[in-house]
Amino acid sequence: MEVEVDLSHRARDLADEIRRRPRGLWRWREFLPVESPGAVVSLGEGDTPLVRSGRLSREAGVERLYIKNDTLLPTGSLKDRSVTVAIARAREVKAEAVAVSSTGNHAASVAAYAAAAGLPCVVMVPAATAAGKVLQARVHGATVIAVDAPYDQTAALFREALKAFGWYSCLSSNPWRNEGKKSYAFETWEQLDGEAPDWMIHPIAGGLGVAACWKGWRELRQLGWTTRIPRLVAAQASAAAPIVAAFEAGQDDVTALTAGPTVAESIAVGLPALGWHALRAIAATDGVAAGASDEEILHAQSLLARTTGIFCEPSAAASLAVAITLRRRGLIRPTDLVVCVATGHGLKQPEAARPSAPLHRIEPGLAAVETALTRSDAHPLNTPRPSGGSPWP
Ligand SMILES: Cc1ncc(COP(=O)(O)O)c(C=O)c1O
């Protein structure tokens, strides 16, 4: 099921109204299927920065490369865009408890918004999920069930539990919830002054990232606010890439596979719930699905951190990794306008990062500081100042 929002009669006055409203995802409320403003629970989600860095562009060989920094959403991941709408809808239908199965980020987000809404919350995650994400859900007071199984089995168990216990589901089979995710397309359109990127690249697990982006751009086109729609790219970890496999085989639906181990744990899904929908979005926009190895993902994570100051989790770096691959393949041209979505914060899974700078552990003493600085040859401060005194140059 998909929600259809009728916007046709509002085309003219809506743009000015939205532009004048305070920042945040709910500026776009006419596009979202929530009827009672009082049901909305906002943690300040939306309007994340669209960052351009000359150094990153040079390294990647793409002049106009932008990062949509969704690591800055309230719980540190993309999920807040859809969960704020899911929880508003849950309140509208007077749900008694909300629930989700998750590779980690979705659980943290539902737990946080449920806490703000005062709703009981149950989340199920694979037991091997990064500790930070599980901790987030627990800190917000959710009932956290860690299943000794990978995600696909956890999700199957969750669907059984949903039937048994009747919770309000925040899964991507909930079409209301999915509508919130469109907002990153709207924001990008506005941040680029109405220009449609040539490519938008999203790390993909269940498939919503590209499906919702496609719907968002179609709605903008329906209003006459854009004529072009970007080519959409699903970026997956090569070890868990059912959408890439289906795309390469020319299928219009995915075949379930067993997700192999990957550092991109948030997108390690073998049976994507919206795989068919993602494939439709890719086909309709002349897009691509492409995989990245763990090595390429970790390289992209480090490159992003060193050149832009954005620290994202490995899954989130899959979009940049795939941008670099598509540039190498010649599919992305050096002058193309490319937007990569960074979907989750690096501090959610810090143990995976490979910092480029060593840690200098020393005994307290100035001589040891000097030795550390001398060893750190990349450091611009490794020449001690001639004498003490004022810190000002
Ligand atoms: C960090 C991160 N990026 C991307 C995704 C993929 O989301 P989608 O369900 O839209 O494919 C997830 C999903 O859990 C995620 O946690």
Side-chain angles (χ1 to χ4, degrees):
M1 275 206 295
E2 195 172 67
V3 172
E4 279 296 327
V5 188
D6 181 14
L7 296 158
S8 46
H9 56 291
R10 297 288 320 263
R12 232 172 290 131
D13 55 332
L14 196 56
D16 281 341
E17 220 174 294
I18 292 174
R19 212 174 295 133
R20 272 188 265 110
R21 287 178 185 157
R23 305 265 95 196
L25 181 149
W26 289 96
R27 278 198 295 141
W28 305 91
R29 54 182 164 265
E30 283 81 0
F31 293 81
L32 304 172
V34 173
E35 282 168 296
S36 12
V40 171
V41 174
S42 174
L43 296 178
E45 58 291 316
D47 280 320
T48 57
L50 186 68
V51 176
R52 187 175 178 190
S53 146
R55 283 171 56 223
L56 178 62
S57 291
R58 274 193 295 283
E59 294 266 351
V62 181
E63 262 168 51
R64 295 186 298 162
L65 176 59
Y66 290 82
I67 305 295
K68 180 69 175 154
N69 188 4
D70 271 6
T71 71
L72 295 181
L73 287 166
T75 73
S77 93
L78 76 165
K79 299 296 174 183
D80 299 341
R81 291 189 184 277
S82 47
V83 170
T84 184
V85 179
I87 296 298
R89 179 69 186 163
R91 295 183 81 200
E92 274 189 338
V93 298
K94 308 219 173 336
E96 284 172 8
V98 296
V100 81
S101 62
S102 161
T103 52
N105 286 325
H106 203 175
S109 181
V110 173
Y113 281 84
L119 280 168
C121 172
V122 182
V123 302
M124 278 191 195
V125 292
T129 303
K133 298 171 191 169
V134 179
L135 182 73
Q136 272 186 294
R138 292 175 60 202
V139 154
H140 293 304
T143 300
V144 179
I145 299 174
V147 184
D148 277 319
Y151 178 72
D152 292 301
Q153 263 173 284
T154 304
L157 174 62
F158 178 77
R159 285 192 294 273
E160 269 182 63
L162 260 187
K163 280 193 207 136
F165 301 104
W167 305 314
Y168 177 91
S169 165
C170 294
L171 288 177
S172 58
S173 48
N174 175 342
W176 282 272
R177 166 248 188 215
N178 294 351
E179 291 294 287
K181 181 66 182 164
K182 295 182 302 193
S183 54
Y184 86 95
F186 303 153
E187 290 173 18
T188 304
W189 166 82
E190 187 187 38
Q191 287 166 319
L192 292 173
D193 293 327
E195 183 175 0
D198 296 300
W199 302 88
M200 283 189 83
I201 310 180
H202 199 285
I204 285 298
L208 179 65
V210 284
C213 190
W214 183 40
K215 189 162 192 280
W217 282 96
R218 276 184 294 144
E219 287 176 357
L220 294 173
R221 188 174 60 184
Q222 184 194 329
L223 287 171
W225 297 357
T226 185
T227 49
R228 285 185 60 226
I229 291 187
R231 297 174 75 175
L232 301 181
V233 181
Q236 297 206 286
S238 302
I243 295 177
V244 177
F247 172 78
E248 287 175 352
Q251 293 168 208
D252 54 15
D253 201 355
V254 292
T255 309
L257 51 76
T258 306
T262 167
V263 69
E265 60 162 44
S266 298
I267 52 171
V269 170
L271 177 57
L274 297 176
W276 64 273
H277 205 159
L279 287 164
R280 270 181 62 188
I282 293 165
T285 61
D286 195 20
V288 179
S293 67
D294 278 9
E295 199 54 45
E296 290 167 328
I297 286 173
L298 290 171
H299 168 73
Q301 181 192 35
S302 164
L303 180 64
L304 191 64
R306 284 181 286 111
T307 56
T308 66
I310 297 169
F311 179 28
C312 69
E313 65 171 289
S315 302
S319 51
L320 177 60
V322 162
I324 293 171
T325 303
L326 297 184
R327 173 67 203 99
R328 271 201 210 114
R329 283 197 216 156
L331 212 55
I332 290 182
R333 291 166 309 175
T335 51
D336 282 350
L337 199 168
V338 180
V339 174
C340 293
V341 192
T343 46
H345 203 287
L347 289 176
K348 281 172 165 281
Q349 195 188 342
E351 60 286 354
R354 284 194 204 151
S356 50
L359 174 68
H360 301 281
R361 189 164 176 171
I362 60 163
E363 295 293 330
L366 200 54
V369 173
E370 201 172 320
T371 311
L373 292 175
T374 320
R375 281 203 197 116
S376 156
D377 49 26
H379 204 291
L381 298 177
N382 59 4
T383 326
R385 285 184 304 116
S387 63
S390 163
W392 294 98

